[in-house]
Amino acid sequence: MMNLPKKLTKKLKLREEKNSLRTLKTPSNLVDFSSNDYLGFAKSSVIFDKTHQFLVDKNSKQNGATGSRLLSGNHQLYRELENFLSNFHLTESATIFNSGYDANIGFFSAVPQRGDIILYDEFIHASIRDGIKLSNAKAFKFSHNDLDSLEEKILRYSDLSTALEETSKFKNTVYVVTESVFSMDGDSPSLEKISKICKKNNAFLIVDEAHAVGVFGKNGVGIVQEVNLQNDVFARIITFGKALGCHGAAILGSKELQKYLINFARSFIYTTGLSPHSLATIKVAYTEMIKQTQDDKICLFENIQYFKSEVKRNHLNSFLLKVTLQYIVV
Ligand SMILES: Cc1ncc(COP(=O)(O)O)c(C=O)c1O
């Protein structure tokens, strides 16, 4: 086998020296305190069996999508699931992507244009950062969950956006992006206040609900709907690999946004669609999520409280913080 170029070997060595080298591990039989499988759906035999039955009932005997959704890959289950998601999440359209990473890359590389401004929470997920890197818009961070910092940045950079406008025929747009639950600390911003700030300043709000769907809001609808902001948010990103325990993601928004994404989001266009089995699993997982009782929810939050109190009792706070920071920094 050919060796790695020296520059790359050095980078790996540096990681080793910093004790931050990533390696792949096969899941063990340890108790799971680290995955995103909040509801235990990823290993649910009920969902597994019902998905099989769902496909049998539909006489769907196709293993793969066969191509991009824009060519041969847009099988019937896509329409059914996107309609279901639009109704459930009270939005005009739901556009399914192969993963949350793909959804964020696709959205941020395609929607904000040259001259536009993107303001993002400093702890925003890597997929959003990577999407922003591919965008022609200018991007600036605001302090984590800090409304004053956000407002100050909107005021400061709206001027820049207006200055850039002079070279363009169209009004520039300010986009603000945050998450409704940040996975590292489980904390949330005040979406109502952020939305108010955005409204006041004509900024477009985007909320990544990856860690909220399935856990927050009635029937797991997420926080945006819990606080009734679905009509004030320009786009929501929901993912199916966390509480829903399967795979894939969707961008929720207007029908026009959907039309735009189908035409310009490259991570939507230039990739093979999800298999019927993947979509069937998402649909069945939603059905099971809706069936979750108040007791199931209380049990989850009691487990979280118990975990937190044990971390405190065993003085593990600083250890966890170190692990978390290492994950963010590398
Ligand atoms: C906030 C957030 N957005 C997007 C993603 C990416 O989602 P997926 O795992 O479906 O690619 C993640 C996953 O870690 C996430 O935490």
Side-chain angles (χ1 to χ4, degrees):
M1 282 276 127
M2 282 176 73
N3 282 334
L4 268 184
K6 286 230 159 30
K7 273 189 220 166
L8 308 192
T9 320
K10 194 169 168 219
K11 284 182 86 172
L12 280 177
K13 210 164 170 355
L14 256 175
R15 282 229 160 149
E16 246 160 0
E17 280 163 18
K18 285 190 186 161
N19 219 6
S20 62
L21 187 74
R22 290 176 168 132
T23 55
L24 290 172
K25 293 178 187 69
T26 309
S28 63
N29 289 327
L30 296 175
V31 179
D32 174 9
F33 283 118
S34 63
S35 82
N36 300 308
D37 186 20
Y38 306 126
L39 306 175
F41 279 15
K43 291 177 186 157
S44 156
S45 53
V46 172
I47 293 176
F48 188 86
D49 293 342
K50 283 191 177 171
T51 299
H52 176 74
Q53 196 53 47
F54 181 92
L55 290 166
V56 169
D57 291 348
K58 294 221 171 274
N59 199 23
S60 171
K61 291 185 176 162
Q62 189 178 322
N63 297 317
T66 76
S68 161
R69 291 191 62 188
L70 281 157
L71 298 171
S72 56
N74 198 37
H75 47 86
Q76 177 60 31
L77 275 183
Y78 266 117
R79 182 190 294 254
E80 196 177 304
L81 184 58
E82 287 184 340
N83 283 342
F84 168 81
L85 291 172
S86 311
N87 289 332
F88 182 77
H89 287 292
L90 304 179
T91 180
E92 276 183 26
S93 79
T95 311
I96 296 175
F97 282 70
N98 288 0
S99 71
Y101 190 87
D102 282 359
N104 278 327
I105 290 266
F107 182 94
F108 286 96
S109 60
V111 174
Q113 300 292 297
R114 191 180 300 284
D116 292 342
I117 301 288
I118 307 167
L119 300 175
Y120 61 94
D121 187 288
E122 63 178 330
F123 288 171
I124 208 79
H125 191 257
S127 53
I128 297 176
R129 280 176 183 265
D130 290 358
I132 289 174
K133 274 192 203 158
L134 292 172
S135 162
N136 287 321
K138 286 199 183 310
F140 305 93
K141 61 184 176 199
F142 57 92
S143 306
H144 180 53
N145 286 347
D146 184 332
L147 302 172
D148 293 336
S149 168
L150 170 64
E151 195 148 26
E152 188 260 314
K153 297 276 155 86
I154 291 190
L155 293 177
R156 187 180 333 160
Y157 294 115
S158 292
D159 284 349
L160 173 63
S161 138
T162 313
L164 292 166
E165 218 163 271
E166 279 158 21
T167 53
S168 146
K169 275 200 296 203
F170 298 104
K171 225 178 152 24
N172 289 328
T173 308
V174 176
Y175 293 94
V176 172
V177 54
T178 190
E179 296 176 28
S180 50
V181 178
F182 284 84
S183 61
M184 289 301 170
D185 290 328
D187 56 343
S188 297
S190 165
L191 286 182
E192 289 110 316
K193 288 186 181 153
I194 291 188
S195 166
K196 258 193 196 149
I197 294 173
C198 288
K199 251 189 184 167
K200 194 171 94 186
N201 295 283
N202 296 318
F204 285 52
L205 177 59
I206 300 131
V207 183
D208 185 326
E209 292 240 77
H211 296 279
V213 169
V215 180
F216 293 98
K218 189 165 180 271
N219 293 329
V221 289
I223 295 184
V224 169
Q225 280 170 259
E226 186 180 32
V227 294
N228 201 26
L229 280 180
Q230 58 277 3
N231 295 326
D232 298 315
V233 168
F234 175 58
R236 272 177 279 169
I237 289 89
I238 57 169
T239 67
F240 311 129
K242 318 271 181 219
L244 283 147
C246 32
H247 194 77
I251 297 181
L252 311 178
S254 68
K255 278 206 164 20
E256 267 207 311
L257 175 64
Q258 179 173 55
K259 194 174 180 181
Y260 185 83
L261 292 170
I262 291 171
N263 278 279
F264 293 101
R266 295 170 72 83
S267 60
F268 178 92
I269 302 167
Y270 297 106
T271 187
T272 302
L274 291 169
S275 67
H277 183 272
S278 293
L279 296 193
T281 313
I282 297 165
K283 179 71 192 346
V284 172
Y286 259 88
T287 314
E288 292 304 304
M289 178 179 88
I290 293 164
K291 274 199 215 149
Q292 292 263 298
T293 63
Q294 196 54 23
D295 283 351
D296 294 328
K297 271 229 164 131
I298 290 169
C299 177
L300 173 65
F301 284 100
E302 277 177 357
N303 284 344
I304 294 168
Q305 276 320 322
Y306 179 64
F307 178 78
K308 282 184 173 168
S309 64
E310 285 299 291
V311 164
K312 214 169 172 183
R313 197 171 66 79
N314 289 288
H315 309 291
L316 290 170
N317 279 7
S318 55
F319 171 72
L320 286 182
L321 186 66
K322 195 164 162 247
V323 173
T324 307
L325 284 176
Q326 225 173 47
Y327 181 79
I328 293 173
V329 169
V330 292

